[in-house]
Amino acid sequence: MGLLAGLQVLDLADEKASFCSKLLADLGAEVIKIEKPGGDASRCKAPFWENRVNPETSLSFWYNNTNKRGITLNLESDQGKKLFRRLISRADIVIESFPPGYLTELELGYEELSKIN
């Protein structure tokens, strides 16, 4: 439990904003890190545990994603969009760092998602 227990956050952010959702997770929010197929780019950032270059050993990724759950979704596919909309229906916060208009192009922008939640 924590100060933010009961709050659900969907984290679509890259390394520029992952620290934000890390703080929410550390305070008790349920944060779901949503990665694209192939994983978040920050998995390739040094330093690496025991200098083993591997997407599973990036200390930067580990640090910014503690206390989070994780899933892989392809938001550009129909199935990925469908699953994302299901997650949105229960979410309190969405954190994303895509270029402006990207989610709107996918029909996942604020206007569309606010009809769901």
PDB file of all heavy atoms in Angstrom, residues 7-25:
ATOM      1  N   LEU A   7      -4.754   3.929  -7.526  1.00  0.00           N
ATOM      2  CA  LEU A   7      -4.619   4.721  -8.743  1.00  0.00           C
ATOM      3  C   LEU A   7      -3.961   3.849  -9.815  1.00  0.00           C
ATOM      4  O   LEU A   7      -2.958   3.188  -9.546  1.00  0.00           O
ATOM      5  CB  LEU A   7      -3.735   5.937  -8.459  1.00  0.00           C
ATOM      6  CG  LEU A   7      -3.707   7.066  -9.461  1.00  0.00           C
ATOM      7  CD1 LEU A   7      -5.067   7.768  -9.504  1.00  0.00           C
ATOM      8  CD2 LEU A   7      -2.636   8.069  -9.073  1.00  0.00           C
ATOM      9  N   GLN A   8      -4.530   3.829 -11.018  1.00  0.00           N
ATOM     10  CA  GLN A   8      -3.934   3.048 -12.096  1.00  0.00           C
ATOM     11  C   GLN A   8      -3.374   3.982 -13.170  1.00  0.00           C
ATOM     12  O   GLN A   8      -4.067   4.889 -13.636  1.00  0.00           O
ATOM     13  CB  GLN A   8      -4.923   2.088 -12.735  1.00  0.00           C
ATOM     14  CG  GLN A   8      -4.236   1.162 -13.738  1.00  0.00           C
ATOM     15  CD  GLN A   8      -5.161   0.144 -14.336  1.00  0.00           C
ATOM     16  OE1 GLN A   8      -5.976   0.478 -15.172  1.00  0.00           O
ATOM     17  NE2 GLN A   8      -5.033  -1.087 -13.884  1.00  0.00           N
ATOM     18  N   VAL A   9      -2.126   3.723 -13.548  1.00  0.00           N
ATOM     19  CA  VAL A   9      -1.399   4.551 -14.499  1.00  0.00           C
ATOM     20  C   VAL A   9      -0.950   3.686 -15.670  1.00  0.00           C
ATOM     21  O   VAL A   9      -0.407   2.600 -15.472  1.00  0.00           O
ATOM     22  CB  VAL A   9      -0.150   5.191 -13.838  1.00  0.00           C
ATOM     23  CG1 VAL A   9       0.633   6.037 -14.822  1.00  0.00           C
ATOM     24  CG2 VAL A   9      -0.539   5.989 -12.605  1.00  0.00           C
ATOM     25  N   LEU A  10      -1.182   4.169 -16.887  1.00  0.00           N
ATOM     26  CA  LEU A  10      -0.644   3.523 -18.077  1.00  0.00           C
ATOM     27  C   LEU A  10       0.560   4.330 -18.535  1.00  0.00           C
ATOM     28  O   LEU A  10       0.458   5.530 -18.783  1.00  0.00           O
ATOM     29  CB  LEU A  10      -1.694   3.453 -19.187  1.00  0.00           C
ATOM     30  CG  LEU A  10      -2.960   2.679 -18.849  1.00  0.00           C
ATOM     31  CD1 LEU A  10      -3.912   2.678 -20.036  1.00  0.00           C
ATOM     32  CD2 LEU A  10      -2.635   1.264 -18.410  1.00  0.00           C
ATOM     33  N   ASP A  11       1.698   3.674 -18.618  1.00  0.00           N
ATOM     34  CA  ASP A  11       2.964   4.334 -18.938  1.00  0.00           C
ATOM     35  C   ASP A  11       3.388   3.966 -20.355  1.00  0.00           C
ATOM     36  O   ASP A  11       3.814   2.846 -20.611  1.00  0.00           O
ATOM     37  CB  ASP A  11       4.019   3.901 -17.931  1.00  0.00           C
ATOM     38  CG  ASP A  11       5.407   4.444 -18.215  1.00  0.00           C
ATOM     39  OD1 ASP A  11       5.561   5.248 -19.155  1.00  0.00           O
ATOM     40  OD2 ASP A  11       6.333   4.070 -17.481  1.00  0.00           O
ATOM     41  N   LEU A  12       3.239   4.916 -21.269  1.00  0.00           N
ATOM     42  CA  LEU A  12       3.675   4.755 -22.653  1.00  0.00           C
ATOM     43  C   LEU A  12       4.942   5.560 -22.919  1.00  0.00           C
ATOM     44  O   LEU A  12       5.328   5.767 -24.061  1.00  0.00           O
ATOM     45  CB  LEU A  12       2.579   5.243 -23.612  1.00  0.00           C
ATOM     46  CG  LEU A  12       1.265   4.485 -23.593  1.00  0.00           C
ATOM     47  CD1 LEU A  12       0.175   5.287 -24.268  1.00  0.00           C
ATOM     48  CD2 LEU A  12       1.426   3.148 -24.253  1.00  0.00           C
ATOM     49  N   ALA A  13       5.575   6.029 -21.881  1.00  0.00           N
ATOM     50  CA  ALA A  13       6.687   6.973 -22.011  1.00  0.00           C
ATOM     51  C   ALA A  13       8.004   6.276 -22.318  1.00  0.00           C
ATOM     52  O   ALA A  13       8.238   5.136 -21.919  1.00  0.00           O
ATOM     53  CB  ALA A  13       6.826   7.779 -20.732  1.00  0.00           C
ATOM     54  N   ASP A  14       8.867   7.018 -22.995  1.00  0.00           N
ATOM     55  CA  ASP A  14      10.234   6.553 -23.191  1.00  0.00           C
ATOM     56  C   ASP A  14      11.084   7.097 -22.042  1.00  0.00           C
ATOM     57  O   ASP A  14      10.547   7.577 -21.041  1.00  0.00           O
ATOM     58  CB  ASP A  14      10.757   6.966 -24.567  1.00  0.00           C
ATOM     59  CG  ASP A  14      10.783   8.480 -24.765  1.00  0.00           C
ATOM     60  OD1 ASP A  14      10.625   9.227 -23.787  1.00  0.00           O
ATOM     61  OD2 ASP A  14      10.959   8.908 -25.921  1.00  0.00           O
ATOM     62  N   GLU A  15      12.397   7.035 -22.205  1.00  0.00           N
ATOM     63  CA  GLU A  15      13.279   7.434 -21.101  1.00  0.00           C
ATOM     64  C   GLU A  15      13.131   8.901 -20.705  1.00  0.00           C
ATOM     65  O   GLU A  15      13.533   9.285 -19.620  1.00  0.00           O
ATOM     66  CB  GLU A  15      14.745   7.116 -21.427  1.00  0.00           C
ATOM     67  CG  GLU A  15      15.354   7.932 -22.530  1.00  0.00           C
ATOM     68  CD  GLU A  15      15.141   7.363 -23.930  1.00  0.00           C
ATOM     69  OE1 GLU A  15      14.457   6.350 -24.097  1.00  0.00           O
ATOM     70  OE2 GLU A  15      15.661   7.972 -24.867  1.00  0.00           O
ATOM     71  N   LYS A  16      12.511   9.727 -21.554  1.00  0.00           N
ATOM     72  CA  LYS A  16      12.338  11.147 -21.208  1.00  0.00           C
ATOM     73  C   LYS A  16      11.298  11.347 -20.107  1.00  0.00           C
ATOM     74  O   LYS A  16      11.310  12.365 -19.437  1.00  0.00           O
ATOM     75  CB  LYS A  16      11.927  11.950 -22.447  1.00  0.00           C
ATOM     76  CG  LYS A  16      12.985  12.013 -23.530  1.00  0.00           C
ATOM     77  CD  LYS A  16      12.568  12.896 -24.680  1.00  0.00           C
ATOM     78  CE  LYS A  16      11.439  12.371 -25.491  1.00  0.00           C
ATOM     79  NZ  LYS A  16      11.675  11.315 -26.438  1.00  0.00           N
ATOM     80  N   ALA A  17      10.395  10.397 -19.937  1.00  0.00           N
ATOM     81  CA  ALA A  17       9.316  10.595 -18.960  1.00  0.00           C
ATOM     82  C   ALA A  17       9.080   9.390 -18.051  1.00  0.00           C
ATOM     83  O   ALA A  17       8.171   9.420 -17.236  1.00  0.00           O
ATOM     84  CB  ALA A  17       8.030  10.962 -19.689  1.00  0.00           C
ATOM     85  N   SER A  18       9.887   8.355 -18.169  1.00  0.00           N
ATOM     86  CA  SER A  18       9.684   7.153 -17.337  1.00  0.00           C
ATOM     87  C   SER A  18       9.877   7.423 -15.850  1.00  0.00           C
ATOM     88  O   SER A  18       9.289   6.750 -15.013  1.00  0.00           O
ATOM     89  CB  SER A  18      10.630   6.028 -17.767  1.00  0.00           C
ATOM     90  OG  SER A  18      10.193   5.468 -18.964  1.00  0.00           O
ATOM     91  N   PHE A  19      10.695   8.413 -15.517  1.00  0.00           N
ATOM     92  CA  PHE A  19      10.913   8.727 -14.109  1.00  0.00           C
ATOM     93  C   PHE A  19       9.624   9.219 -13.452  1.00  0.00           C
ATOM     94  O   PHE A  19       9.370   8.939 -12.286  1.00  0.00           O
ATOM     95  CB  PHE A  19      12.029   9.764 -13.950  1.00  0.00           C
ATOM     96  CG  PHE A  19      12.392  10.035 -12.515  1.00  0.00           C
ATOM     97  CD1 PHE A  19      13.052   9.065 -11.770  1.00  0.00           C
ATOM     98  CD2 PHE A  19      12.074  11.228 -11.919  1.00  0.00           C
ATOM     99  CE1 PHE A  19      13.376   9.297 -10.446  1.00  0.00           C
ATOM    100  CE2 PHE A  19      12.403  11.477 -10.596  1.00  0.00           C
ATOM    101  CZ  PHE A  19      13.057  10.502  -9.858  1.00  0.00           C
ATOM    102  N   CYS A  20       8.796   9.920 -14.210  1.00  0.00           N
ATOM    103  CA  CYS A  20       7.519  10.411 -13.696  1.00  0.00           C
ATOM    104  C   CYS A  20       6.660   9.246 -13.198  1.00  0.00           C
ATOM    105  O   CYS A  20       6.164   9.252 -12.068  1.00  0.00           O
ATOM    106  CB  CYS A  20       6.787  11.196 -14.778  1.00  0.00           C
ATOM    107  SG  CYS A  20       5.125  11.707 -14.327  1.00  0.00           S
ATOM    108  N   SER A  21       6.505   8.234 -14.027  1.00  0.00           N
ATOM    109  CA  SER A  21       5.670   7.094 -13.620  1.00  0.00           C
ATOM    110  C   SER A  21       6.366   6.252 -12.563  1.00  0.00           C
ATOM    111  O   SER A  21       5.708   5.592 -11.764  1.00  0.00           O
ATOM    112  CB  SER A  21       5.279   6.252 -14.831  1.00  0.00           C
ATOM    113  OG  SER A  21       6.411   5.827 -15.532  1.00  0.00           O
ATOM    114  N   LYS A  22       7.698   6.279 -12.523  1.00  0.00           N
ATOM    115  CA  LYS A  22       8.427   5.580 -11.461  1.00  0.00           C
ATOM    116  C   LYS A  22       8.059   6.169 -10.101  1.00  0.00           C
ATOM    117  O   LYS A  22       7.817   5.443  -9.145  1.00  0.00           O
ATOM    118  CB  LYS A  22       9.940   5.684 -11.685  1.00  0.00           C
ATOM    119  CG  LYS A  22      10.762   5.115 -10.523  1.00  0.00           C
ATOM    120  CD  LYS A  22      12.155   5.657 -10.532  1.00  0.00           C
ATOM    121  CE  LYS A  22      13.020   5.287  -9.364  1.00  0.00           C
ATOM    122  NZ  LYS A  22      12.620   4.311  -8.423  1.00  0.00           N
ATOM    123  N   LEU A  23       7.993   7.503 -10.036  1.00  0.00           N
ATOM    124  CA  LEU A  23       7.635   8.141  -8.773  1.00  0.00           C
ATOM    125  C   LEU A  23       6.220   7.745  -8.340  1.00  0.00           C
ATOM    126  O   LEU A  23       5.971   7.478  -7.160  1.00  0.00           O
ATOM    127  CB  LEU A  23       7.739   9.663  -8.896  1.00  0.00           C
ATOM    128  CG  LEU A  23       9.142  10.225  -9.094  1.00  0.00           C
ATOM    129  CD1 LEU A  23       9.081  11.733  -9.302  1.00  0.00           C
ATOM    130  CD2 LEU A  23      10.044   9.872  -7.927  1.00  0.00           C
ATOM    131  N   LEU A  24       5.291   7.701  -9.296  1.00  0.00           N
ATOM    132  CA  LEU A  24       3.920   7.296  -8.972  1.00  0.00           C
ATOM    133  C   LEU A  24       3.888   5.854  -8.485  1.00  0.00           C
ATOM    134  O   LEU A  24       3.189   5.535  -7.514  1.00  0.00           O
ATOM    135  CB  LEU A  24       3.013   7.491 -10.186  1.00  0.00           C
ATOM    136  CG  LEU A  24       2.873   8.924 -10.699  1.00  0.00           C
ATOM    137  CD1 LEU A  24       2.028   8.952 -11.966  1.00  0.00           C
ATOM    138  CD2 LEU A  24       2.293   9.841  -9.640  1.00  0.00           C
ATOM    139  N   ALA A  25       4.653   4.970  -9.146  1.00  0.00           N
ATOM    140  CA  ALA A  25       4.714   3.567  -8.719  1.00  0.00           C
ATOM    141  C   ALA A  25       5.325   3.451  -7.329  1.00  0.00           C
ATOM    142  O   ALA A  25       4.843   2.683  -6.485  1.00  0.00           O
ATOM    143  CB  ALA A  25       5.513   2.746  -9.725  1.00  0.00           C
TER     144      ALA A  25
END
